[in-house]
């Protein structure tokens, strides 16, 4: 019985090592924020982080992530107030909303590595996360807004430490 560390908690799952992580998350652990999209790793609806890297949980096997740090949309922010989540609301990104958790997790992996992405870098990083409602321009605006807010908050924190 593999033990997974998801959102900072150690959890045992009754699954074979070749079970897709998505099924362990959704069916075993009842964490339904991560969505099943295409099942082939092509749409990004199932994106989660493994050791900070965005991965498609439908193509990642449970046995490959035991002992690694897994973050789902539920773990991005305990209160749902991550700058990306707030920017998603401010830019009114969701329509049907189905792909949004995968989109946010993909974007969070970008901002964790690049606090000041260009529009082209955002587009390149988000390539492969599909939105059938075509909200791509609002997704890009939300990511740029979140990046600005995160840089502003970081600068304010640095300023407070030096005064």
């Amino acid at each position: 019985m593999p033990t997974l560390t998801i959102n900072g908690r150690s959890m045992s799952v009754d699954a074979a090592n070749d079970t897709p992580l998505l099924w362990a998350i959704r069916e075993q652990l009842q964490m339904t924020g991560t969505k099943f999209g295409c099942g082939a790793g092509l749409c990004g609806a199932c994106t989660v982080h493994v050791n900070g890297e965005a991965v498609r949980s439908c193509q990642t096997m449970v046995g490959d992530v035991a002992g690694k740090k897994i973050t789902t949309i539920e773990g991005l922010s305990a209160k749902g107030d991550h700058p990306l989540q707030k920017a998603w609301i401010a830019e009114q990104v969701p329509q049907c909303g189905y792909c949004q958790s995968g989109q946010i997790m993909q974007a969070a992996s970008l901002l964790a590595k690049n606090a000041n992405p260009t529009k082209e870098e955002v587009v390149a990083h988000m390539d492969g996360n599909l939105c059938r409602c075509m909200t791509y321009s609002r997704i890009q605006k939300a990511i740029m807004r979140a990046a600005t807010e995160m840089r502003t908050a970081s600068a304010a924190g640095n300023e407070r430490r030096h005064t």
Side-chain angles (χ1 to χ4, degrees), residues 6-9 11 25-26 29-35 47-48 70-82 85 101 104-105:
I6 302 179
N7 302 332
R9 294 182 42 216
M11 304 176 189
I25 291 170
R26 287 187 58 84
L29 303 173
Q30 302 297 306
M31 301 170 71
T32 57
T34 305
K35 304 298 184 198
T47 302
V48 300
I70 302 162
T71 306
T72 67
I73 189 71
E74 292 92 345
L76 190 62
S77 168
K79 296 179 181 175
D81 61 354
H82 186 280
Q85 292 167 313
S101 62
I104 290 172
M105 295 306 288

Side-chain angles (χ1 to χ4, degrees), residues 1-161:
M1 184 176 297
T3 299
L4 305 177
T5 303
I6 302 179
N7 302 332
R9 294 182 42 216
S10 181
M11 304 176 189
S12 294
V13 292
D14 185 17
N17 283 338
D18 63 349
T19 301
L21 175 60
L22 176 63
W23 298 133
I25 291 170
R26 287 187 58 84
E27 302 298 325
Q28 295 271 319
L29 303 173
Q30 302 297 306
M31 301 170 71
T32 57
T34 305
K35 304 298 184 198
F36 174 77
C38 65
L42 301 174
C43 73
C46 66
T47 302
V48 300
H49 295 174
V50 175
N51 287 345
E53 296 291 326
V55 300
R56 305 298 198 241
S57 62
C58 72
Q59 297 297 299
T60 303
M61 301 304 123
V62 165
D64 294 333
V65 295
K68 297 181 180 176
K69 181 181 170 190
I70 302 162
T71 306
T72 67
I73 189 71
E74 292 92 345
L76 190 62
S77 168
K79 296 179 181 175
D81 61 354
H82 186 280
L84 278 166
Q85 292 167 313
K86 292 169 37 178
W88 239 248
I89 293 167
E91 295 294 340
Q92 299 183 5
V93 173
Q95 285 192 353
C96 83
Y98 197 80
C99 70
Q100 301 305 302
S101 62
Q103 299 276 359
I104 290 172
M105 295 306 288
Q106 185 73 22
S109 72
L110 169 65
L111 297 184
K113 295 176 187 163
N114 182 354
N116 193 17
T118 64
K119 181 178 177 182
E120 291 76 22
E121 290 169 328
V122 168
V123 170
H125 188 80
M126 299 303 290
D127 188 33
N129 278 71
L130 304 179
C131 175
R132 61 183 163 194
C133 300
M134 304 300 287
T135 63
Y136 297 112
S137 64
R138 289 185 287 186
I139 289 170
Q140 292 165 13
K141 287 180 184 175
I143 294 169
M144 299 305 279
R145 175 189 283 250
T148 299
E149 290 180 12
M150 292 168 75
R151 287 192 311 273
T152 301
S154 178
N158 287 338
E159 196 170 296
R160 279 192 294 266
R161 281 190 288 265

